[in-house]
Amino acid sequence: MKFDYLITGAGIAGCVLAERLASQLNKKVIVIDKREHIGGNCYDYYNSAGVLIHKYGPHYFRTNLKHVFDYLSNFTDWHYVYYRVKAMVDGKLLPIPINLDTVNELYGYDFSSNELKKFFKINMVRVDEIKNSEEAIVSKIGRELFEKIYKAYTLKQWGVEPKELDVSVCERIPVRTNRDDRYFTDKYQAMPKYGYHKMFENMLKHPNVHIMLKTNYKEIKDDIRCKKHIYTGPIDEYFDYIYGRLPYRSLRFEHETLDVEFYQPVSQVNYPYDYDFTRVVESKHITGQKHHKTTIIREYPSDEGEPYYPVPAAKSRTIYERYRRKAERLKDVHFIGRLAEYKYLNMDQVVDRALRLFEALHVMEDDGKLNVFPGVSDGY
Ligand code: FAD
Ligand code: UDP
């Protein structure tokens, strides 16, 4: 069989591009993945107890991008849900992100929102130019709350102190002075009604799309002939680590199925400084599944294993920049997604970028030039 496009990686980036190229441009596409399933890190499945779980950590879909939500709605119905997270701090289960109730319950206060704003003002550390995740947080809420909620969690999760990480890492979590206890405030928050895997199956269900699982690009690259290649794996691996290895953070997942309907009150409980795991995730809270048993998953961060998190820091950015410049010179290979662009991207951002790359490829099919490369300084 002959193909127009080879897509390495059947994650959300690969699925969007395969779907668009096949259905809109009538291209013949082959999607390969070294894993035994499609969906990349968003993959979910029913375990042996029949509980729908997320294999690679909790995946809360949320977005403010209407076109992303509308696009995915072509392939799934939705289970509308707000995500809620708590943290075990000093023996108390407190709302995360930090809000009015977090501070009142932690210290036994009865602050109003205005009093909490004053409390933060008194405790905040003045920083002239915020350069890292530690400064980002202490300059908002002060050192004590930073140490209780962020410092040890971040050290466990990333293996380095918050002061070694970009501002953007800890700033992913807002600080609130009201009582809103939703993890996110995005306009669209919902889970694919029948799971992510079903949604990806629907995306790839097209006669022009051929899927090959358990297939590593490195092993087949000399045997497969395609005009164009979309690559969504780690960029340093693609170039055989010529500029050195990019750091990635990984996780080990420990599953436990229990004979109770629910184990904890919300889908995620963080343990900032107790235990070696960072969080316990119970997906039934977000999938909406009714089942007399439940499965919980403890996450243990690690340097070894699958590359789940690019590390947003100055050193890794310098190495990535060299790879990016090399990638940019390859005319018929496009690098997209969390690993190929080495960016801490959420699902909706990846879908947005994949749709933009598709538009650029569409133009190029018409006039022979690629006008937009989505990996370049576009605000994420
Ligand atoms: P991936 O999903 O990583 O897909 C890349 C695919 O390429 C993989 O399937 C891999 O096997 C394959 N591959 C790599 N190299 C090769 C090779 N050489 N040959 C063949 N195949 C190869 N986002 C959210 O929006 N909300 C969340 O709540 C959320 N939670 C997350 C929790 C965790 C623990 C993690 C790790 C991520 C989370 N994300 C979340 C981010 C989300 O997973 C990513 O944005 C998304 O999966 C990125 O899609 P992708 O296609 O770029 O990459
Ligand atoms: N974080 C923290 N304490 C928490 C929650 C988050 O210190 O209770 C920090 C930590 O550095 C984490 C980052 O904020 O890696 C981003 O959190 P998020 O929940 O977005 O992480 P992800 O779901 O991507 O692992």
Side-chain angles (χ1 to χ4, degrees):
M1 282 172 88
K2 282 201 171 146
F3 298 96
D4 299 304
Y5 280 84
L6 163 66
I7 300 185
T8 295
I12 199 163
C15 287
V16 171
L17 280 152
E19 186 283 323
R20 288 286 86 183
L21 289 164
S23 74
Q24 304 299 302
L25 299 186
N26 200 25
K27 296 292 174 193
K28 300 264 179 295
V29 181
I30 179 165
V31 183
I32 63 163
D33 202 297
K34 62 183 179 184
R35 290 175 174 164
E36 58 193 16
H37 58 74
I38 59 168
N41 287 344
C42 310
Y43 174 67
D44 54 8
Y45 68 103
Y46 289 88
N47 66 11
S48 56
V51 181
L52 179 59
I53 56 170
H54 293 185
K55 181 161 182 170
Y56 305 100
H59 276 71
Y60 307 121
F61 183 78
R62 87 289 187 166
T63 190
N64 284 315
L65 304 172
K66 178 170 163 50
H67 68 282
V68 167
F69 189 70
D70 288 347
Y71 170 72
L72 292 178
S73 301
N74 292 313
F75 310 101
T76 187
D77 294 334
W78 298 100
H79 167 64
Y80 294 97
V81 59
Y82 290 122
Y83 313 111
R84 288 195 165 80
V85 173
K86 289 185 182 279
M88 182 63 84
V89 183
D90 294 356
K92 295 177 180 158
L93 215 45
L94 307 174
I96 294 291
I98 292 177
N99 70 9
L100 182 57
D101 290 321
T102 313
V103 175
N104 280 340
E105 286 170 30
L106 178 62
Y107 295 116
Y109 296 152
D110 191 19
F111 282 159
S112 64
S113 284
N114 277 341
E115 286 167 332
L116 180 59
K117 282 181 199 152
K118 278 189 211 142
F119 175 82
F120 285 153
K121 216 167 169 184
I122 293 165
N123 287 288
M124 64 182 248
V125 177
R126 198 164 298 282
V127 180
D128 289 336
E129 192 201 339
I130 296 170
K131 294 179 294 306
N132 57 55
S133 270
E134 174 167 329
E135 289 172 354
I137 303 302
V138 296
S139 64
K140 270 195 219 148
I141 58 172
R143 195 156 290 285
E144 185 170 318
L145 275 173
F146 164 74
E147 287 189 356
K148 282 187 190 292
I149 290 175
Y150 290 88
K151 188 175 166 148
Y153 184 106
T154 301
L155 186 57
K156 249 198 281 187
Q157 169 67 17
W158 296 96
V160 293
E161 295 273 348
K163 60 174 175 267
E164 308 293 329
L165 294 166
D166 283 359
V167 171
S168 60
V169 176
C170 287
E171 279 219 326
R172 282 170 62 86
I173 312 298
V175 173
R176 303 195 181 118
T177 51
N178 58 20
R179 304 188 67 193
D180 189 346
D181 69 344
R182 293 170 302 161
Y183 204 47
F184 310 110
T185 50
D186 299 55
K187 178 163 178 177
Y188 305 96
Q189 308 196 32
M191 299 290 292
K193 194 162 184 176
Y194 307 104
Y196 286 100
H197 187 244
K198 196 84 211 147
M199 179 176 82
F200 293 124
E201 271 184 349
N202 290 339
M203 292 172 85
L204 298 185
K205 207 187 286 170
H206 192 285
N208 286 351
V209 177
H210 187 85
I211 304 167
M212 265 172 74
L213 298 175
K214 295 194 231 167
T215 304
N216 193 321
Y217 169 68
K218 290 277 162 186
E219 283 155 23
I220 54 108
K221 72 180 167 75
D222 297 327
D223 304 322
I224 210 153
R225 291 277 167 268
C226 280
K227 288 185 209 133
K228 296 200 169 70
H229 183 193
I230 291 169
Y231 180 82
T232 73
I235 190 165
D236 55 343
E237 185 183 310
Y238 182 91
F239 291 111
D240 296 321
Y241 311 105
I242 48 164
Y243 301 131
R245 282 181 186 263
L246 282 162
Y248 296 94
R249 202 63 179 152
S250 192
L251 299 171
R252 176 171 68 81
F253 300 101
E254 183 183 80
H255 296 218
E256 190 179 354
T257 295
L258 302 157
D259 216 349
V260 292
E261 200 177 351
F262 284 104
Y263 169 79
Q264 59 192 26
V266 288
S267 62
Q268 183 178 317
V269 174
N270 294 351
Y271 291 84
Y273 45 84
D274 291 332
Y275 307 112
D276 294 334
F277 49 84
T278 46
R279 56 191 185 187
V280 177
V281 172
E282 187 174 25
S283 53
K284 268 177 70 187
H285 287 281
I286 54 173
T287 57
Q289 187 187 12
K290 305 268 180 281
H291 198 294
H292 62 284
K293 291 189 182 188
T294 192
T295 298
I296 55 166
I297 303 180
R298 298 183 188 87
E299 290 186 9
Y300 294 84
S302 149
D303 269 339
E304 308 293 319
E306 290 272 309
Y308 293 134
Y309 292 87
V311 182
K315 195 172 156 217
S316 49
R317 208 167 28 253
T318 308
I319 306 172
Y320 167 68
E321 218 17 62
R322 297 186 75 189
Y323 284 116
R324 190 188 66 75
R325 281 201 296 271
K326 195 163 174 64
E328 222 175 10
R329 290 197 288 272
L330 296 180
K331 198 170 141 278
D332 291 322
V333 189
H334 305 289
F335 293 77
I336 179 131
R338 181 146 147 151
L339 298 170
E341 298 182 79
Y342 198 73
K343 282 191 171 62
Y344 191 174
L345 298 171
N346 297 320
M347 289 178 277
D348 63 324
Q349 295 171 313
V350 175
V351 173
D352 180 41
R353 297 165 90 81
L355 291 173
R356 283 195 278 149
L357 176 58
F358 168 72
E359 287 306 328
L361 292 168
H362 190 168
V363 172
M364 185 176 64
E365 294 284 343
D366 289 345
D367 73 6
K369 285 201 293 286
L370 184 69
N371 294 321
V372 187
F373 183 76
V376 187
S377 47
D378 49 3
Y380 288 124

